Amino acid sequence: MLLKQNNGRYLFLDVFRFVSIILMLQGHVFRALLDTTSRLTTWFDIHEFIHGLTAPGFLVSAGLTFGISTLKRHQEYIQLSPVFYKRLGRFSLILLLGYALHLPKLSLTQLMNAGTYYDYISLTQVDVLQCIGITLLFSQLLLFFVKEEKYFLRTIGVMSIAILLLTPLLQNQSFLKSLPLSVAQYLDIYNGSNFPLLPNAVYIFAGMMLAEKFLKLDSEAHIEIFFKKLSLFGIGLALIALAVYFVPMQFYPVNDFWKTSPNFVLIRFGCVVLLLTAVWYLTAKVQSINPNIPLLGKESLFIYIFHLPLIYGSPVNYHSLYVFFGSQMNVLQASIVFIALATFIVYVTKQWHYMKTHRLTALRYIQVGMATTFLYFFFTL
């Protein structure tokens, strides 16, 4: 079975990220460009559900990656070591990149003097990157103070249950309105956050707990059994959660079911588990895999950051696909744009990966130059 690549990475995880990134890219293109007529069809509702699995997929894979790397090198992450500080830096960078993508203006002066309330809401919105960054930072610090692996896993397990059960009760409460908006955005869906910690941190914690089970497997036969059981678990979880949804009783106050309901979280997690299992099975059974597939999976963070300004725009790039063609295209036209955009992103990503592997020093100069230029304009304009 093809389980690992030459550098020790788990191949099925990179393929899983590739599937998630392609679904995400296609979904964002269709959401930005499709006309109203196309959006009113049944197939678009199905499309929205499938597209809605991509973010939980990224969150689960982030938890899996954190869990696998942490539990394999446990002792290095429970002391003040270079790898400990490097990891904190990496998670902090993910958090900062998430905020950078939401900048409404490329000028601190304009934000301070002419920024509107809606600009502040846009800046403080919590999206996938902030959710991943803050949850992994918290998890690393929790592990550092708890030390013991079993207590760490028990803690995040209890927290996951508490988050699932309490999220619908905590939404839109008066005490949240008294918090600074930058804090409330992590806890409440009613200020515009797409992926607040409640309930989305559950997906990351679940990935960590799956990693612990996965690392205990010591043979290919046990791995196959594990994924078969995991697929049954995913099916059962989704079906049970769906059945509970149709029970004619109201367990919680009226909330946005699609963002706060424990049932919907469990349905989506069950579907993500099924997708992960399918990816593992195909990865393990095929004779060879196009090397571009795991490469794109490895660079999923770069693709995520790169594609959003192209589709939706940014303070640096106002001339986006959405500005030119938003809500004007039929399915065929949007599909052509998706294929063209995906081809372009694949090319750029391959060049980026080549620089990382063969011209790292030059890439570091480019990154420092870009960051310096960005900060210069941000603080001087």
Side-chain angles (χ1 to χ4, degrees), residues 8 27 63 73 98 139 143 158 244 277 287-288 295 316 323 330:
R73 304 170 62 186
S139 299
L143 178 66
V158 171
V244 172
T277 303
Q287 295 299 316
S288 63
L295 183 152
V316 179
V323 169
N330 58 35

Side-chain angles (χ1 to χ4, degrees), residues 209-225:
M209 289 184 278
L210 279 179
E212 186 264 344
K213 301 295 183 185
F214 178 76
L215 287 177
K216 288 182 177 179
L217 306 173
D218 55 6
S219 70
E220 293 182 352
H222 289 160
I223 291 171
E224 185 163 3
I225 292 171

Side-chain angles (χ1 to χ4, degrees), residues 164-180:
L164 276 176
L165 296 178
L166 294 178
T167 293
L169 298 175
L170 293 175
Q171 298 303 305
N172 209 27
Q173 295 298 314
S174 57
F175 83 92
L176 288 179
K177 300 182 186 301
S178 65
L179 296 173

Side-chain angles (χ1 to χ4, degrees), residues 305-318:
I305 294 170
F306 183 70
H307 91 283
L308 286 176
L310 295 178
I311 296 177
Y312 295 110
S314 72
V316 179
N317 168 42
Y318 291 105

